[in-house]
Amino acid sequence: MQRHLNTDYLDLLGKTLLFSFWKEPLINEAGVDRPNEFVTDEQRANGRASWPAYAFTMIGSERLGNIRTLCQAAVEAGVPGAFVECGVWRGGACIYARACLPEDRVVMVCDTFDGIPLDPAETYWQDYKFIKVPQSTVEASFRLFGLLNNVRFVSGKFSDSLHTIIDPIAVLRVDGDMRSSTFDTLTHLYPLVSPGGFII
């Protein structure tokens, strides 16, 4: 059976990416465990755990399910293009998209891989030190799940890097947190979204 159609595999992968099988502490902005505070099942579902210590993604099972639905809808409808995520943290959402798509579909992983850039309008993001996840760490996570095939990394500030993407996009996930990064993502990539494609 093709991997992207294997429901049991995708269910298991989603739960693993969310660290659902284990007790998981929450961490503070500096990445330090918060005493006696743990991720709840409700937070794992709705993606409102601020912030999980070990999970590969913080978006929750409902939003992972949305990625799965839209990736498969794009494939079934023949919508051309890649899955692109802008703002990937530990890479879990992109890892899941890679599993949901046939291997001939490109997955693009876009991030600074050096934390959120300084923006004078939203300086508080500089307090979130744990958001800085190097590209090598994200690549290692893809490799851990055997899902590094046909994955392209686009590194740098969105205003400097996204113009290098010229391929059509079937599913675009915008998760850059700041207003400026969202604006840069839509400015550069909205024109590349194929007719019938999706933006999250």
Side-chain angles (χ1 to χ4, degrees):
M1 178 179 289
Q2 296 180 47
R3 185 181 64 225
H4 70 284
L5 297 178
N6 189 325
T7 299
D8 291 340
Y9 165 75
L10 292 176
D11 288 346
L12 179 61
L13 178 62
K15 290 176 182 177
T16 304
L17 291 169
L18 291 167
F19 213 76
S20 298
F21 299 111
W22 306 275
K23 189 173 185 179
E24 181 179 24
L26 292 166
I27 56 178
N28 64 19
E29 291 86 349
V32 178
D33 287 4
R34 287 157 35 187
N36 302 313
E37 292 188 61
F38 298 92
V39 181
T40 66
D41 290 341
E42 181 180 3
Q43 289 170 325
R44 281 208 176 93
N46 62 30
R48 294 183 181 165
S50 301
W51 305 85
Y54 306 124
F56 293 87
T57 178
M58 64 179 83
I59 70 171
S61 59
E62 294 169 5
R63 283 182 274 180
L64 279 182
N66 187 46
I67 289 173
R68 178 171 167 178
T69 297
L70 298 184
C71 285
Q72 293 181 344
V75 170
E76 290 168 7
V79 177
F83 174 91
V84 179
E85 182 176 45
C86 297
V88 304
W89 193 44
R90 295 176 181 158
C94 289
I95 292 169
Y96 195 67
R98 172 70 286 160
C100 292
L101 291 165
E103 288 191 5
D104 62 352
R105 294 272 183 153
V106 175
V107 169
M108 294 191 198
V109 184
C110 309
D111 205 291
T112 66
F113 302 104
D114 192 33
I116 295 179
L118 177 63
D119 184 327
E122 299 183 56
T123 57
Y124 55 87
W125 286 109
Q126 299 306 299
D127 297 332
Y128 293 84
K129 306 302 183 189
F130 74 96
I131 289 179
K132 180 179 178 177
V133 180
Q135 180 176 327
S136 59
T137 300
V138 179
E139 287 184 24
S141 296
F142 273 90
R143 197 173 292 110
L144 178 68
F145 291 100
L147 292 169
L148 193 54
N149 291 340
N150 214 8
V151 175
R152 187 184 312 169
F153 290 84
V154 180
S155 178
K157 289 177 63 175
F158 296 161
S159 57
D160 300 331
S161 62
L162 296 183
H163 72 276
T164 64
I165 298 173
I166 59 173
D167 308 277
I169 297 171
V171 181
L172 171 62
R173 187 166 192 278
V174 185
D175 196 6
D177 296 310
M178 295 189 300
R179 178 189 180 279
S180 57
S181 59
T182 301
F183 181 82
D184 289 333
T185 299
L186 294 175
T187 298
H188 291 292
L189 301 185
Y190 180 85
L192 299 177
V193 177
S194 298
F198 303 96
I199 298 176
I200 306 170

